[in-house]
């Protein structure tokens, strides 16, 4: 008992951080599902889930319950152990990556000096879950779909990795907290210094997470239905959760590496310090809107749930505001930082959703061509551009306001040239094959 | 149209030969989200490339032509709606005009103009449904909702006019049954005014989109020669470069009074068929706007009598339905019931071209090609 | 369709509202043979064509060219409701079609179907609708054929005929020589009977099936 209390005391902050993160992120993953459906509906001129809870707020809970009570069907000739293990592997890989994601300075579960590498490695383990799932289903088409997914992930991993390298060159460290600290120190988010890297990372991460327009392996209207065909009920829910967790992990990495992590916008300009009040005011605004909508709900129970939701928003607003009080001032940066971090992650996720509902789907060979023929050369050019700019800035003493923009222009010109050359070659190949 | 010849083209293979060592036969359908109905497609694949295909149809065969022999001319009219159920009004127009030719009667001028307006609205509705589902098959999840939203407006007009949205039975032999309702012109005008910008919206989402172009350009190419040899009509024929539209070549209803162009394209691939249909929607809108300016007053029904007994003989009459040329070959033996009604189904004949179009493509293109042919299984199988 | 197909009854004494002067033609029992001109088959008693029929014999340049090329194989030619119809001998059908496509520029086969006239000696009439883009003209070609006789396939002339002839075979049982794969298209491969024939009765078939497979009498 004594030992337990001692352990708790020694590791109090990491434990609280762990509780928050483990509590928040899976919930976030679940609510991203609802967000996707609402955003999809909005873009398609309709409303989305409205019934389960006010404005569909309890939809993820309903979905979770439904999936859990569904009949667990295992194909007769499937390999039982691997069939059971595959989705578990996927979701574990996704969730494990949360360990190294800092949502505030020191506000993370596991402080590592190679945090980024850890996340990259662990999230790649998810590919095992996909391939094993396809194989264990003992269906010709599931296996093909799984192999296609794996091929796609591996291909875009290279481009994503190279894009990350360009960010790392600027940061100088693999530690996640260190990367944000270096952005704070330099006073600029790396997206403005290496925008091409950010764009490559964006496209690559959409492909990494098997999201449209790169979701051919799992699209319903295509012939081969993909690795998830034979999975139903809770197993499928695990795959689904793994996909959305992956989305959040990838968004978190992008936020940390390119979007300044937990820093508020214009963190270095102290004249804009009033922006620190934005989180609390925003949450107060949300609370107020919810309270305003309570009488307009269709039923008393909807109103009650909305009241609870409003209450929790108010509690968050209070927490965001309380950090301004002197006794809690040491919590100011982590707590506000957490708000900014989650806001940026949600913004990045919104880009994912936006792209999904706007574009048609790439055919698999076009997808692979995009990855290998266009993104990888482009990412290499980008790394060289950033490296050259750094050398010019550090060694040759060029001002960073000159070096980086110049190299940006060079990179973009090279990128356009590469893309044009590639397209010309494709057209000639098509013409000669026709 | 010189030097279009159909010799030198082998008829499409009917039976899939036994697959070779590296080939598998893949079966798609009859239940499949993208075959637009109960269509079964057998593909002979070499890896992902398609070496041969065979369409198996007949799952929706309802014996419409046999039924026709046991109904009177008037009783048969609702049955034709159920063939191409997406564009019921066009089917009805073709049948009513065919029987009118058989009777030697002609619809009144007012009926002709109203028929034209409703048929063009139906063409827009049919193309909207085509666009939505085609885009959905290729992964664009949003256009289908916009298209269905517009289609909803047209279906509301149909409902106000004749009480039904889908299987409308809008026309009668000799003219119309219902007078246009109060506000008909206003509704049509309001729809057409809105619609122009909506078509631009769809184009914005799709036409210049690299992914869309990549999925549709060069896919399912049908040359003009192949199209004529295979009897393909409608937008696929026009997209292959043959500028031919029954509304201009053999005008019927009130089409000779209006000004519209026939969109064509050159390559005959999926992208061209898309472009042609988009432009056709615009042209249909223009026809509607011209028509509602001046709907002639007068009776809506010609004097054909209550009991229709056409003199013995036969007639073949076809119109330009949204899917192609729909023809009715009606044989009369002098009684109140037709002796034979043959429907020339555009989707059936267009679908025959599928085997030619899909050779050499990848499996993922099959959905694109089925979508671009714009088939309705009700018409294919009757 | 559970109701009995209504029998074709001769229309009873003057029905009101008939504006068509075809009243005289239809007051006789509607025997297809009496109402249709005799096909060129000698044993058939040539029935006088009813008065108000809308066909007029045709002998324009087009017909003259066909007759010039094929002579007696072109049995008849007439205009019905201003549409040109040519009746040719079934054995020469393919040659006629090639001539139509190559010399007369009828490059599209619009439709190919058949009509069943059970009272005639050659009960089926294979009907082809042709269209010429260059001349914007339609032509209907008919080829009478008897039950059991096969007709040359025109798939080599227009590949459109592939499925159309299969449908003809499926519905009427007409065989087409030279078709690359004549099998049923709309009905299941193992279906017995040819539905669009006038003597085909689905009830008969249903009763036969029920009797055979279930051993009871069908209650239809």
């Amino acid at each position: 008992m004594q030992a337990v209390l001692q352990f708790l005391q020694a590791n109090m902050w990491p434990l609280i951080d762990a509780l928050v993160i483990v509590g928040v992120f899976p919930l976030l993953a679940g609510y991203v599902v609802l967000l996707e459906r609402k955003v999809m509906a909005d873009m398609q001129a309709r409303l989305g889930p409205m019934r389960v809870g006010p404005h569909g707020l309890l939809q993820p809970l309903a979905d979770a319950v439904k999936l859990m009570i569904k009949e667990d069907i295992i194909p007769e000739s499937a390999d039982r152990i691997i069939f059971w293990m595959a989705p578990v592997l996927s979701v574990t890989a996704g969730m494990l990556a949360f360990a190294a994601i800092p949502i505030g300075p020191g506000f993370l579960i596991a402080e590592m000096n190679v945090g980024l590498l850890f996340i990259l490695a662990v999230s790649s383990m998810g590919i095992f879950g996909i391939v094993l799932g396809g194989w264990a289903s003992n269906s010709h088409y599931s296996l093909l779909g799984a192999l296609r997914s794996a091929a796609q992930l591996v291909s875009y991993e290279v481009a994503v990795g190279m894009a990350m390298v360009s960010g790392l060159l600027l940061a100088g460290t693999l530690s996640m907290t260190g990367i944000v600290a270096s952005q704070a120190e330099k006073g600029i988010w790396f997206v403005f210094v290496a925008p091409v890297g950010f764009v490559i990372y964006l496209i690559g991460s959409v492909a990494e997470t098997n999201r449209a327009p790169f979701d051919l392996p799992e699209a319903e209207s295509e012939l081969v239905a993909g690795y998830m065909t034979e999975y139903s009920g809770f197993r499928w829910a695990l795959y689904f959760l793994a996909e959305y967790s992956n989305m959040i992990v990838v968004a978190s990495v992008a936020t940390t590496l390119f979007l300044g992590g937990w820093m508020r916008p214009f963190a270095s300009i102290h004249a804009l310090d009033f922006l620190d009040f934005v989180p609390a005011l925003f949450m107060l605004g949300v609370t107020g809107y919810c309270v305003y909508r309570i009488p307009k709900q269709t039923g008393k129970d909807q109103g009650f749930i909305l009241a609870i939701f409003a209450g929790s928003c108010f509690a968050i607003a209070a927490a965001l505001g309380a950090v301004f009080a002197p006794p809690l001032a040491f919590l100011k940066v982590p707590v506000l930082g957490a708000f900014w971090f989650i806001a940026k992650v949600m913004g990045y996720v919104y880009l994912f959703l936006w792209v999904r509902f706007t574009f048609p789907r790439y055919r698999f060979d076009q997808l692979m061509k995009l990855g290998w023929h266009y993104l990888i050369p482009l990412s290499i050019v980008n790394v060289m551009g950033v490296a050259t700019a750094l050398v010019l800035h550090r060694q040759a003493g060029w001002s960073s306001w000159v070096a980086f923009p110049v190299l940006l222009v060079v990179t973009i010109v090279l990128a356009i040239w590469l893309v044009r050359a590639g397209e010309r070659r494709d057209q000639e190949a098509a013409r000669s094959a026709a | 149209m010189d030097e279009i010849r159909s010799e030198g083209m082998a008829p499409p293979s009917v039976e899939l030969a036994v697959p070779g060592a590296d080939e598998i036969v893949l079966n798609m359908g009859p239940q499949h989200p993208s075959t637009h109905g109960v269509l079964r497609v057998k593909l002979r694949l070499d890896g992902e490339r398609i070496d041969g295909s065979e369409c198996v149809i007949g799952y929706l065969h309802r014996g419409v032509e046999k039924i026709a022999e046991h109904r009177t001319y008037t009783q048969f009219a609702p049955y034709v709606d159920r063939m191409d159920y997406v564009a019921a009004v066009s089917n009805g127009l073709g049948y009513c005009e065919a029987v009118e030719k058989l009777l030697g009667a002609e619809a009144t001028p007012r009926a002709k103009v109203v028929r034209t307006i409703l048929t063009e609205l139906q063409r827009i509705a049919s193309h909207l449904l085509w666009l939505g589902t085609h885009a959905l098959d290729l992964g664009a999840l949003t256009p289908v909702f916009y298209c269905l939203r517009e289609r909803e407006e047209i279906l509301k007009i149909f409902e106000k006019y004749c009480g039904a949205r889908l299987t409308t039975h809008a026309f009668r032999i000799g003219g119309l049954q219902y007078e246009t309702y109060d506000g008909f012109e206003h509704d049509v005008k309001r729809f057409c005014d809105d619609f122009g910008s909506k078509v631009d919206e769809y184009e914005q989402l799709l036409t210049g989109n690299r992914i869309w172009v990549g999925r549709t350009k060069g896919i399912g190419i049908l040359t003009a020669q192949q199209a004529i040899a295979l009897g393909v009509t409608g937008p696929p024929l026009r997209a292959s470069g043959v500028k031919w539209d029954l509304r201009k070549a053999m005008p019927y209803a009130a089409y000779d009074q209006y000004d519209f162009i026939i969109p064509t394209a050159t390559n005959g691939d999926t992208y061209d068929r898309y472009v042609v249909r988009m432009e056709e929607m615009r042209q249909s809108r223009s026809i509607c706007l011209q028509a509602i300016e001046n709907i002639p007053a007068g009776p809506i029904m010609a004097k054909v009598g209550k009991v229709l007994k056409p003199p013995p003989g036969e007639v073949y009459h076809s119109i330009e339905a949204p899917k192609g040329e729909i023809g009715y070959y009606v044989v009369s033996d002098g009684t109140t019931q037709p002796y034979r009604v043959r429907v020339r189904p555009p989707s059936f004949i267009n679908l025959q071209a599928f085997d030619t179009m899909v050779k050499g493509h990848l499996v993922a293109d099959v959905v694109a090609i089925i979508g671009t042919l714009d088939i309705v299984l009700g018409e294919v199988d009757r | 369709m559970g109701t009995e197909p209504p029998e074709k009854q001769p229309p009873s004494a003057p029905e009101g509202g008939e504006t068509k002067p075809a009243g005289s033609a239809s007051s006789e029992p509607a025997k297809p043979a009496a109402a249709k001109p005799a096909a060129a088959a000698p044993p058939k008693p040539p029935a006088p064509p009813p008065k108000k029929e809308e066909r007029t014999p045709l002998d324009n340049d087009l017909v003259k060219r066909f007759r010039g090329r094929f002579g007696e194989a072109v049995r008849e030619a007439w205009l019905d409701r201003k549409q040109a119809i040519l009746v040719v001998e079934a054995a020469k059908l393919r040659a006629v079609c090639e001539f139509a496509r190559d010399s007369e520029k009828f490059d599209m086969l619009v439709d190919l179907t058949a009509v069943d006239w059970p009272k005639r000696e050659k009960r089926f009439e294979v009907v082809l609708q042709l269209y010429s883009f260059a001349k914007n003209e339609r032509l209907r070609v008919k080829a009478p054929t008897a039950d059991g006789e096969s007709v040359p396939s025109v798939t080599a002339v227009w590949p459109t005929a592939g499925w159309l002839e299969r449908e003809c075979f499926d519905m009427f049982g007409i065989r087409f020589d030279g078709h690359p794969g004549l099998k049923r298209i709309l009905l299941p491969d193992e279906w017995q009977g040819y539905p669009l024939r006038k003597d085909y009765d689905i009830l008969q078939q249903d009763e036969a099936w029920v009797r055979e497979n279930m051993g009871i009498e069908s209650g239809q």
Side-chain angles (χ1 to χ4, degrees), chain A residues 40 42-46 140-141 148 212-213 216 220-224 356-366 374 419 423, chain B residues 24 26 28 32-34 48 136-142 145-146 149 205-206 209-212 214-215 219 362-365 367:
Chain A
M40 178 190 329
D42 185 53
M43 291 188 184
Q44 293 169 347
R46 53 190 185 91
H140 187 53
Y141 304 120
R148 277 208 217 164
L216 192 78
E220 311 90 29
S221 56
E222 299 297 333
L223 195 53
V224 179
R356 180 179 183 202
F357 307 123
T358 313
F359 296 130
R361 207 174 280 129
Y362 265 120
R363 209 174 56 210
F364 194 67
D365 61 318
Q366 294 168 335
Y374 293 99
V419 168
E423 286 179 336
Chain B
I24 58 167
L26 186 66
M28 219 175 122
H32 190 278
S34 300
E48 272 227 26
L136 189 62
D137 288 340
L138 289 180
L141 302 169
T142 329
F145 291 96
Y146 300 157
R149 177 187 60 189
L205 260 181
L206 295 171
N209 188 318
R210 292 175 68 96
I211 307 182
W212 180 258
R215 284 305 293 270
I219 306 294
L362 303 177
V363 168
D365 296 322
V367 254

Side-chain angles (χ1 to χ4, degrees), chain B residues 119-172:
Chain B
T119 309
E120 287 308 303
L121 283 178
Q122 181 68 278
R123 189 183 311 273
I124 298 177
S126 172
H127 284 338
L128 281 172
L129 187 65
W130 161 80
L131 180 63
T133 49
H134 188 44
L136 189 62
D137 288 340
L138 289 180
L141 302 169
T142 329
V144 66
F145 291 96
Y146 300 157
C147 293
L148 290 179
R149 177 187 60 189
E150 261 57 82
R151 191 179 141 89
E152 192 62 32
E153 298 306 314
I154 298 180
L155 296 182
K156 280 187 194 157
I157 295 178
F158 286 159
E159 192 180 12
K160 282 197 212 172
Y161 175 71
C162 59
R165 289 156 51 101
L166 196 69
T167 48
T168 43
H169 192 203
F171 307 140
R172 300 289 181 276

